[in-house]
Amino acid sequence: MSGVQRFIDTNLGRFRAELHDFLRIPSVSADPQYDQDTRAAAEWLSSQLTVAGLKSTVFETPGHPIVLAEKQTGDPNAPTVLIYGHYDVQPPDPLELWHSPPFEPSERDGRIYGRGSADDKGQLYMHVKALEAYHATGTELPVNVVLIAEGEEEVGSPNLVPFVLEHADKLACDVVLISDTGMYAEGIPSIGFSLRGLAYFEIHVHGANSDLHSGEFGGAVANPANMLARIIASLHRDDGSVAIEGFYDNVLAWDTETLEEIASLPHSDDEFSKALDLDQLTGEDGYETLERLWIRPTCDVCGFLSGYTGEGAKTVLPNHAMAKVSFRLVPDQNPDRIYQLLKAHISSLDLPGVRVDVLDLHGGRPWRTSVEGPAFEAASEALEEAFGTKPVPMGGGGSIPIVIEFEEKLDANALLVGFSLPGCNLHAPNEWFPIDNYEKGIGALARLYHKLVKVENSS
Ligand code: BES
Ligand code: MN
Ligand code: MN
């Protein structure tokens, strides 16, 4: 292990420069304009995996390619670790808010700025470098490693579940290791115990067959924008809870041990709101902020569109209004059921003179695990050794829908060890990743592979 760590320490400058190369490839999965770049990112990653001593293949899918690499250890009894990450990134817009261009990585104040630095190229590449450190120093890997990287995580992983089913034999493993989440705070390494699910819809409200003069027709003709506002206003009660009948039916109680862990984390509502320039926080009554963020479901309008939004005033009665509405889900809520409940809710409203369509864009199920067990312990030891601080268990407010699918389809537990920080601007302008976490994290992962030898080999 000491040779591996020494290799990491002496090669960090190169590891950073290579991450810059990775970040320079604009692999924006949502925008077809970047399809060639997204493919180039897959090819680049695959060649780096080869350098790290793995056998790597780029698989075609109906969408963006999947990179699958593997390395067997000599020990027939060794467990297999499946490492998952994604090489695609979110669109960089709005470009004018970036202090340096999103695809021209730059280092400032101990941070690597660039789209994908934290989500998830930086974190995925840390695994590649930890693996390279074993290979380059001739240190036998203590576990078998299979690494799968997809290019469609940010668009809901449409081709990954079919791929997992088709290639289940190649993906057989004892634990699924994922670095695509964050640390609780700077200097406090963390292990994830949950992820929220997601149900994402578009609500379209249609009125007359054309936009109309709001003086000539207003008052006698339904206004889709007014009606959409009525729908949106109906989604929450005054106490901050979601007002859709049946919404909370499948919400499971959380175990007291995890609730106590959450309560014992250092948290200040004041600091949290100050960092966001807010005078107060708000949410569902009866829950603390960390509970609201991690273990309670939500409903949020992510965008809406209707009528005239240009300069000055235009007196128009629009004939169409649209809102994008997302629900974050917790165990055991199911996105398909939420779709049915939302449609029933909207049908129950009084919305005269308009037609409403609800489109199901994508969804994913929530995931949770217990804060103990051999994989959790292994991660805890590795992180403490590398960061000098005992890790805390942490919930995930975001979603990685494939996690529960991996667990069910491969019959293995997931282990979430992530290194981004709450302020890293994921999906936002000026995304960054802390150089300190990049350096310590590579060492932590190298140690973790070693400690995962103790997870049960189920084959
Ligand atoms: N890495 C994030 C998920 C995440 C971020 C989990 C922070 C926990 C903490 C992932 O890339 C992501 O952004 N997921 C999307 C869902 C996807 C279906 C588009 C999300 O959470 O919005
Ligand atoms: Mn991610
Ligand atoms: Mn993301």
Side-chain angles (χ1 to χ4, degrees), residues 47 62 182 243 287 356:
S47 67
Y287 295 92
V356 182

Side-chain angles (χ1 to χ4, degrees), residues 348-377:
S348 76
L349 300 174
D350 182 28
L351 303 166
V354 293
R355 190 185 88 238
V356 182
D357 292 330
V358 183
L359 309 184
D360 184 3
L361 293 201
H362 64 212
R365 288 147 65 208
W367 168 83
R368 75 175 185 181
T369 191
S370 81
V371 292
E372 54 188 25
F376 219 89
E377 271 166 38

Side-chain angles (χ1 to χ4, degrees), residues 59 61 66 68 148 159-168 171:
F59 283 86
T61 77
I66 288 174
L68 186 64
I148 183 168
N159 292 296
L160 190 52
V161 169
F163 185 91
V164 170
L165 291 173
E166 192 183 340
H167 298 277
L171 300 170

Side-chain angles (χ1 to χ4, degrees), residues 98-175:
W98 286 79
H99 300 308
S100 55
F103 300 111
E104 290 172 31
S106 97
E107 296 192 358
R108 302 191 294 278
D109 312 321
R111 302 167 168 187
I112 302 175
Y113 282 88
R115 172 58 89 228
S117 55
D119 186 12
D120 175 43
K121 283 173 167 171
Q123 304 208 52
L124 173 57
Y125 203 60
M126 288 161 66
H127 283 278
V128 182
K129 294 298 100 177
L131 292 167
E132 183 192 309
Y134 277 92
H135 181 63
T137 55
T139 314
E140 176 92 45
L141 257 180
V143 290
N144 303 308
V145 168
V146 179
L147 184 146
I148 183 168
E150 68 161 319
E152 299 188 314
E153 197 277 340
E154 300 292 10
V155 291
S157 307
N159 292 296
L160 190 52
V161 169
F163 185 91
V164 170
L165 291 173
E166 192 183 340
H167 298 277
D169 54 329
K170 297 190 188 75
L171 300 170
C173 62
D174 301 284
V175 60

Side-chain angles (χ1 to χ4, degrees), residues 231 234 340-351 356 358:
I231 294 172
S234 77
Q340 302 308 327
L341 295 178
L342 175 65
K343 284 194 294 188
H345 172 82
I346 292 174
S347 306
S348 76
L349 300 174
D350 182 28
L351 303 166
V356 182
V358 183

Side-chain angles (χ1 to χ4, degrees), residues 94-339:
L95 287 175
E96 64 279 11
L97 295 183
W98 286 79
H99 300 308
S100 55
F103 300 111
E104 290 172 31
S106 97
E107 296 192 358
R108 302 191 294 278
D109 312 321
R111 302 167 168 187
I112 302 175
Y113 282 88
R115 172 58 89 228
S117 55
D119 186 12
D120 175 43
K121 283 173 167 171
Q123 304 208 52
L124 173 57
Y125 203 60
M126 288 161 66
H127 283 278
V128 182
K129 294 298 100 177
L131 292 167
E132 183 192 309
Y134 277 92
H135 181 63
T137 55
T139 314
E140 176 92 45
L141 257 180
V143 290
N144 303 308
V145 168
V146 179
L147 184 146
I148 183 168
E150 68 161 319
E152 299 188 314
E153 197 277 340
E154 300 292 10
V155 291
S157 307
N159 292 296
L160 190 52
V161 169
F163 185 91
V164 170
L165 291 173
E166 192 183 340
H167 298 277
D169 54 329
K170 297 190 188 75
L171 300 170
C173 62
D174 301 284
V175 60
V176 185
L177 175 58
I178 302 174
S179 301
D180 189 24
T181 52
M183 306 202 327
Y184 183 67
E186 195 172 336
I188 307 184
S190 310
I191 307 169
F193 65 77
S194 68
L195 290 164
R196 290 196 285 195
L198 185 65
Y200 200 114
F201 308 104
E202 257 177 35
I203 302 175
H204 289 262
V205 182
H206 298 278
N209 56 9
S210 168
D211 280 1
L212 300 167
H213 189 292
S214 68
E216 235 183 336
F217 292 91
V221 171
N223 183 329
N226 297 9
M227 292 300 165
L228 181 58
R230 191 179 287 188
I231 294 172
I232 291 170
S234 77
L235 294 174
H236 291 91
R237 298 192 188 89
D238 288 347
D239 64 4
S241 64
V242 174
I244 295 173
E245 175 134 12
F247 184 75
Y248 293 96
D249 282 0
N250 299 308
V251 173
L252 302 177
W254 226 277
D255 59 290
T256 24
E257 194 190 355
T258 307
L259 292 174
E260 281 165 12
E261 294 275 11
I262 296 173
S264 70
L265 288 170
H267 169 85
S268 151
D269 272 4
D270 268 358
E271 280 171 33
F272 194 96
S273 50
K274 271 207 195 81
L276 299 171
D277 288 331
L278 293 169
D279 55 17
Q280 66 169 88
L281 298 176
T282 179
E284 189 185 358
D285 282 359
Y287 295 92
E288 300 297 326
T289 299
L290 294 179
E291 296 174 321
R292 288 170 174 176
L293 291 173
W294 294 345
I295 67 169
R296 295 299 297 169
T298 64
C299 167
D300 277 294
V301 174
C302 294
F304 46 24
L305 188 72
S306 188
Y308 180 70
T309 56
E311 285 292 306
K314 180 190 179 194
T315 48
V316 66
L317 198 167
N319 76 333
H320 173 236
M322 185 277 286
K324 297 194 183 253
V325 178
S326 80
F327 295 82
R328 293 284 170 178
L329 309 179
V330 300
D332 251 348
Q333 289 177 300
N334 179 300
D336 298 331
R337 175 144 195 275
I338 298 301
Y339 182 39

